[in-house]
Amino acid sequence: MANLSLLDLVALCDNARPSKDSSPPSPFDEEKLVPFCLSQTAGSPVLGLLRPIIVSKLALESIYVWDIQETRVSFHADIDSPAKRSAIMRELCERWRDEELFPDVCGPRKWRSELYAVWKDPFGGYEYPSSKDDDNSNFAFEMERSACALFGVITYGVHMSAFEHDDNGLRIWIPTRARTKQTWPGFLDNSVAGGIPSGMTPFESLVKECMEEASIEEDIARKHVRSSGAVSYFFRTSQGWLQPEIEYVYELLIPPNHPTPEAFVPKPSDGEVESFELMDLELVLTKLRQGLFKPNCAVVIIELLIRLGYVTRKTNQIS
């Protein structure tokens, strides 16, 4: 049985170092990653990183769509709006899906039928343009969620911890992911978590996930959920696919003596979660060390424990 430290868990999630060799070494360290740029112009935003296999496949596509250079890949100059880029990506990804070119990433069984937004600047604000023909905003295009790892683009999600915190200690509502999930089936998760669909803000996405995934009503979420920051990491899958992510972190401190305490008890709703369990800190740490949490969820739990003062430089939990 695993006996992972908290730093081990962080390293499992933040395991890619594109500018240098990974630690521990990865079989993919020798791959030359090529920047995926918005346009052919100098100083164009870098949207992602492409593995050699993806560059070689794009080189087979139309020269009027893709510009392939040794040091970068970009859209052709005529592909100059979010609408055009989104259409190109939709046709390409659906064709690759149907051909089962990358079945472990975006094949028929992995396809999510959910669009993610790709931004020119990941820290430049997330306002959607009134028209997708307008290229003056930070919005670059949108694409199928499952195919994002092929292009190494940053994806965005929301994670919320629902917990009780009093003189008796800390207790966190922990879900078990459904065995039918396309990714990480049966692993432990955060109380509420999900990707941010194109067209939604982080908080609105969280409210939606609260209702759909945990049966927490909208008025409870809007009144009691608080933003507590963000975590970012660069994850590389065991097959070498690139998944840099930014997760917006929220917390729901369940108020003591609330007149309707049952309103805060999460319950499975949409089939994404098998069950919820209210775990004390000792049990959460045991499950973490056993490697039973989905890696990015472990990182969010660790961030919560640091923020609440349960993990400090002086505690051996950080070693």
Side-chain angles (χ1 to χ4, degrees):
M1 184 175 293
N3 185 24
L4 301 169
S5 72
L6 299 188
L7 288 179
D8 289 336
L9 292 165
V10 172
L12 283 174
C13 180
D14 189 32
N15 66 353
R17 297 291 183 272
S19 60
K20 58 183 180 180
D21 289 348
S22 302
S23 179
S26 163
F28 308 106
D29 286 339
E30 298 303 316
E31 283 192 343
K32 179 185 178 182
L33 301 176
V34 177
F36 172 30
C37 298
L38 184 70
S39 70
Q40 300 163 297
T41 59
S44 172
V46 176
L47 306 176
L49 292 172
L50 304 177
R51 299 178 67 187
I53 182 62
I54 299 299
V55 176
S56 67
K57 295 300 181 184
L58 293 177
L60 301 176
E61 302 290 325
S62 171
I63 61 172
Y64 299 105
V65 174
W66 297 98
D67 182 62
I68 314 293
Q69 303 295 329
E70 184 177 354
T71 58
R72 59 127 180 95
V73 171
S74 67
F75 293 103
H76 187 275
D78 289 339
I79 313 301
D80 57 0
S81 71
K84 292 180 181 178
R85 297 183 200 110
S86 298
I88 292 296
M89 297 302 288
R90 181 176 63 251
E91 188 281 330
L92 179 70
C93 293
E94 289 179 353
R95 175 157 43 88
W96 285 0
R97 174 200 63 194
D98 295 342
E99 294 173 353
E100 297 195 41
L101 200 57
F102 302 103
D104 61 321
V105 183
C106 63
R109 293 186 178 182
K110 295 292 187 178
W111 195 261
R112 306 295 288 269
S113 295
E114 182 178 353
L115 295 177
Y116 271 4
V118 177
W119 302 94
K120 300 172 185 176
D121 179 353
F123 305 105
Y126 309 129
E127 293 186 9
Y128 292 88
S130 56
S131 169
K132 290 182 180 177
D133 292 320
D134 178 7
D135 200 29
N136 293 316
S137 73
N138 191 35
F139 180 66
F141 58 88
E142 59 189 10
M143 65 178 293
E144 157 64 23
R145 172 178 180 169
S146 64
C148 289
L150 298 180
F151 294 85
V153 297
I154 297 174
T155 60
Y156 304 80
V158 290
H159 283 242
M160 184 191 80
S161 298
F163 60 93
E164 300 174 358
H165 195 209
D166 53 30
D167 292 341
N168 294 318
L170 176 67
R171 298 167 299 282
I172 308 173
W173 280 106
I174 301 294
T176 298
R177 294 165 66 87
R179 268 38 178 205
T180 55
K181 288 281 289 182
Q182 293 162 312
T183 57
W184 304 97
F187 277 73
L188 300 181
D189 209 312
N190 290 122
S191 307
V192 173
I196 302 175
S198 181
M200 295 192 76
T201 64
F203 185 69
E204 293 304 318
S205 180
L206 179 72
V207 172
K208 176 181 76 73
E209 293 291 343
C210 281
M211 294 187 291
E212 293 178 355
E213 197 172 90
S215 305
I216 297 174
E217 295 298 330
E218 178 178 0
D219 60 329
I220 293 292
R222 292 191 182 280
K223 182 176 181 180
H224 294 279
V225 171
R226 296 291 181 268
S227 172
S228 54
V231 297
S232 62
Y233 49 86
F234 202 131
F235 180 68
R236 193 161 198 174
T237 72
S238 58
Q239 292 80 34
W241 301 112
L242 301 163
Q243 295 181 333
E245 296 184 320
I246 295 174
E247 304 290 356
Y248 290 90
V249 180
Y250 297 85
E251 64 178 43
L252 173 57
L253 174 58
I254 300 173
N257 304 317
H258 193 275
T260 56
E262 65 276 7
F264 296 87
V265 176
K267 297 174 286 294
S269 176
D270 62 0
E272 298 283 305
V273 168
E274 183 176 283
S275 62
F276 287 90
E277 181 180 352
L278 187 63
M279 298 186 185
D280 62 23
L281 177 58
E282 182 178 355
L283 183 56
V284 169
L285 288 172
T286 297
K287 301 287 187 182
L288 282 169
R289 292 187 180 280
Q290 291 173 343
L292 299 180
F293 277 84
K294 182 170 176 270
N296 63 341
C297 299
V299 167
V300 173
I301 294 288
I302 292 168
E303 187 274 340
L304 174 69
L305 299 182
I306 292 172
R307 189 154 34 83
L308 295 180
Y310 287 99
V311 174
T312 69
R313 290 189 178 189
K314 294 182 179 180
T315 67
N316 62 9
Q317 301 293 355
I318 200 169
S319 61

